Amino acid sequence: MRWLILVSLLPLHFCVIGQSPGFIKSYDMELPGMVFTNLMLHEDTLIATGIGITEPPQSVQAVIFAKLDTNGNLLMHKVITDSLNGNFTPGKYPRGFLKTSDGSGYVLLSHVFERKNGVAIKIDNEGNTLWTREYEDEESRQDAYRSIVETDNGFLIAGSKQDLDYSLNLFTMKTDKQGQKVWENLYGDENNRWDSFEKIIVENENEFIISSSTGDEIGVPWQEWQNTVKIFAIDSLGNEKWSWESAPSLEELWIKGLQKTDDGHWAYATARGEFEVDGYQKRQARFVIRDSSFDIVEERLLDDLDIGYYNYLLNLIPVSSGGWLGVGGNFEWVADPVGAEAHVYGWTVRIDETGDTLWTRNDLAFPDTLPHASLQFLHSAVELPSGSLIAAGYYMPDGPGPNLGILVKVDRNGCMEVIDCHPVSTEESVAGQGPLVTVYPNPAQSTITIETANPLLSENQWLLYDQLGNLVHVEILRPGLSLYELNLPATIADGMYYWHFHSTGPLNNGGKLLILR
């Protein structure tokens, strides 16, 4: 079964919304459809890999290797197919790709669906295949090769294997520089849990830290489902050195983008879940920092617990000025639907070292997709020397149409436009950083009330932004009052907006405002 099911070819190779310093672009690489799976920066060039569908009559899933400039212009791309016409599937978003330390090229992971085997492919700097290694395992129903890192004498590959009894366990495999297997170890085959691999962190040549999660196996009623987060370390031979695992619950469904901080703490993205009475699981994005003993020192819920299943971050990348950029997908209802009532937006969240949100934004490469909703996810990101950020992911229509790779570029403040753009935060309030502000009614029509917990001591601003971070309205709030009734200009269209209360310090109170006239 192919996970890219595409019925039409987008007539343009890319479309653009927004100008310098930022953009949103989509790509089809002249194929019936494709998605980006990994993104890295080499000097001033973006290196992207993905999976695409080749043209009929021999239509198969192939690996895509592409180079782009930092304005999103495609410089070149190569299509790599299986020699036996099998269907390649991707390595883990965004872990299954690396540039070799000797500069000779890249190694990427994939999987041949029909033969159920993991694959490593070495390509040169122009995308030409140097070697392909396929790893057979007769005791596994399906192998998922998820992440690869380079060691001093080869590569360490990790992922999951499905046993003949359908249980899912973690594995690590060491290869030499030519991709030949040296050893392989299996983990979790005694825990009666469904084990899912996430990331490898190279601590040193004799310690590799692995993040993973576990869930209940097939057959357990959904009312009893509970997940755990697990972090453990192995030595250079794959032997487990130490391990920590959270208590089973629905508070941490998985772990994404594990980062070890300079003070020895552990930061990662996760999601909490709740079930409806019919078994439908709602999800809420969550950010966690644990200390060296794995006790929680900071935690933040990053969005509402909407009905949407797709509310989570898929990755964290460290940012040079401190903290992280989180990327993922964010479910939101469409304020004034013409066709689709909801979308999953490509989501970027700038998080500081304590877990507070500095800014957040939702983006759609195709905002008015009709008649179906669209799902747009971001999972890989890089920081440019300028501080600008570029995230990669994919667009998937909830209905007929092709999947497409997408890139989103913003500046360090989360803006696509320099003029009248300010960071957008969804934090309702931040303790100790200014008066608590509430805005009602919500949804609003033509008037709103802004209420502060105490009378203002100085002049302040109330700012309203659209979903691209553009400033659309400013109100000056005079000192001495705590209640302000405002008229919304008729020029503000119906839709979802973000507001911020701007005191004498930084932007510190904010929220969402739905306008429906």
Side-chain angles (χ1 to χ4, degrees):
M1 182 176 67
R2 298 177 188 169
W3 63 280
L4 280 175
I5 302 175
L6 308 153
V7 297
S8 64
L9 174 64
L10 190 74
L12 297 178
H13 295 168
F14 58 84
C15 73
V16 185
I17 303 172
Q19 303 296 325
S20 180
F23 58 73
I24 307 174
K25 294 185 178 183
S26 65
Y27 304 80
D28 66 7
M29 303 296 174
E30 301 179 331
L31 297 171
M34 62 85 59
V35 301
F36 285 132
T37 59
N38 291 273
L39 182 71
M40 70 172 61
L41 181 68
H42 177 59
E43 297 176 345
D44 60 351
T45 302
L46 298 173
I47 310 296
T49 60
I51 295 290
I53 295 288
T54 62
E55 293 281 5
Q58 191 61 54
S59 182
V60 295
Q61 285 189 179
V63 172
I64 308 299
F65 173 81
K67 293 183 179 182
L68 308 97
D69 65 24
T70 54
N71 290 318
N73 299 309
L74 182 63
L75 304 176
M76 62 81 65
H77 75 281
K78 287 287 182 70
V79 178
I80 304 168
T81 57
D82 176 52
S83 60
L84 299 178
N85 293 321
N87 286 282
F88 281 133
T89 66
K92 183 69 172 180
Y93 308 114
R95 315 275 179 225
F97 181 52
L98 62 78
K99 182 171 179 61
T100 59
S101 59
D102 63 4
S104 62
Y106 304 86
V107 180
L108 57 88
L109 300 180
S110 187
H111 166 267
V112 183
F113 186 81
E114 292 81 359
R115 301 195 296 276
K116 306 177 182 180
N117 298 324
V119 173
I121 304 171
K122 173 71 179 291
I123 57 178
D124 66 17
N125 291 307
E126 300 306 315
N128 301 303
T129 300
L130 299 176
W131 49 254
T132 300
R133 302 285 181 257
E134 183 172 342
Y135 307 99
E136 297 183 5
D137 187 346
E138 295 181 354
E139 297 183 357
S140 173
R141 289 184 179 273
Q142 288 281 352
D143 293 348
Y145 280 46
R146 297 304 196 189
S147 183
I148 182 170
V149 295
E150 190 171 9
T151 69
D152 58 346
N153 56 2
F155 303 102
L156 183 66
I157 295 171
S160 302
K161 289 178 179 283
Q162 188 179 57
D163 289 347
L164 299 180
D165 63 358
Y166 296 97
S167 62
L168 196 67
N169 299 308
L170 306 180
F171 79 93
T172 58
M173 181 176 69
K174 178 66 180 299
T175 76
D176 61 20
K177 292 289 187 180
Q178 297 301 310
Q180 302 289 351
K181 182 191 292 189
V182 178
W183 54 255
E184 180 177 312
N185 279 3
L186 195 65
Y187 312 89
D189 54 340
E190 302 297 330
N191 65 4
N192 296 317
R193 304 281 292 171
W194 187 285
D195 298 283
S196 180
F197 172 84
E198 201 273 330
K199 183 182 179 182
I200 306 172
I201 295 177
V202 181
E203 186 76 353
N204 54 60
E205 284 299 329
N206 195 43
E207 183 162 308
F208 302 87
I209 298 165
I210 294 174
S211 57
S212 64
S213 58
T214 78
D216 290 292
E217 293 188 342
I218 296 173
V220 177
W222 62 263
Q223 296 92 337
E224 301 176 13
W225 284 358
Q226 291 186 315
N227 293 31
T228 72
V229 163
K230 183 176 181 180
I231 302 172
F232 65 102
I234 61 173
D235 63 19
S236 60
L237 296 177
N239 302 306
E240 191 170 305
K241 298 182 68 173
W242 56 261
S243 178
W244 167 83
E245 188 170 5
S246 66
S249 73
L250 294 180
E251 292 302 303
E252 295 189 20
L253 299 179
W254 52 61
I255 184 170
K256 301 290 183 182
L258 179 67
Q259 305 286 331
K260 188 174 183 181
T261 66
D262 292 340
D263 55 4
H265 289 183
W266 305 95
Y268 57 89
T270 184
R272 62 180 299 269
E274 287 186 9
F275 285 103
E276 299 284 351
V277 293
D278 59 356
Y280 182 87
Q281 188 183 70
K282 301 183 295 185
R283 294 169 174 176
Q284 186 175 21
R286 186 172 177 228
F287 175 81
V288 175
I289 299 178
R290 293 181 180 269
D291 62 19
S292 57
S293 299
F294 296 100
D295 295 321
I296 292 179
V297 294
E298 300 286 352
E299 56 181 322
R300 303 287 188 276
L301 293 173
L302 301 178
D303 193 45
D304 301 328
L305 185 66
D306 296 320
I307 191 65
Y309 183 78
Y310 301 105
N311 268 330
Y312 42 75
L313 295 179
L314 291 167
N315 194 17
L316 293 175
I317 68 160
V319 178
S320 59
S321 56
W324 303 273
L325 178 73
V327 292
N330 185 223
F331 176 94
E332 292 288 349
W333 295 107
V334 175
D336 188 16
V338 177
E341 294 186 348
H343 293 291
V344 176
Y345 295 81
W347 192 21
T348 47
V349 185
R350 182 68 171 87
I351 302 170
D352 70 13
E353 296 93 331
T354 66
D356 289 333
T357 297
L358 300 179
W359 54 259
T360 181
R361 58 180 298 132
N362 288 336
D363 290 296
L364 294 177
F366 303 99
D368 300 316
T369 303
L370 294 176
H372 301 281
S374 64
L375 291 80
Q376 299 180 49
F377 297 92
L378 301 172
H379 50 68
S380 306
V382 297
E383 182 183 17
L384 304 183
S386 64
S388 292
L389 301 156
I390 301 179
Y394 60 95
Y395 157 86
M396 181 172 64
D398 185 17
N403 288 23
L404 300 167
I406 59 174
L407 293 181
V408 177
K409 180 181 180 182
V410 296
D411 68 15
R412 70 180 68 217
N413 296 315
C415 300
M416 285 192 183
E417 301 289 344
V418 174
I419 300 175
D420 288 337
C421 179
H422 300 269
V424 177
S425 171
T426 57
E427 292 295 318
E428 293 286 331
S429 63
V430 180
Q433 291 189 357
L436 177 67
V437 182
T438 56
V439 177
Y440 56 88
N442 192 1
Q445 293 183 343
S446 57
T447 62
I448 59 170
T449 297
I450 301 174
E451 184 175 355
T452 61
N454 299 294
L456 298 180
L457 300 179
S458 61
E459 183 177 282
N460 292 269
Q461 292 181 329
W462 185 82
L463 310 173
L464 190 66
Y465 302 90
D466 65 20
Q467 293 194 47
L468 293 180
N470 300 312
L471 183 65
V472 298
H473 185 63
V474 179
E475 286 284 349
I476 304 299
L477 306 182
R478 305 300 179 186
L481 299 176
S482 60
L483 203 68
Y484 301 83
E485 294 185 358
L486 307 177
N487 294 318
L488 296 171
T491 54
I492 298 178
D494 288 5
M496 180 65 72
Y497 293 84
Y498 298 98
W499 62 265
H500 267 294
F501 180 81
H502 194 174
S503 69
T504 53
L507 296 174
N508 48 49
N509 289 276
K512 299 177 183 178
L513 178 65
L514 177 60
I515 298 177
L516 295 175
R517 300 183 189 277

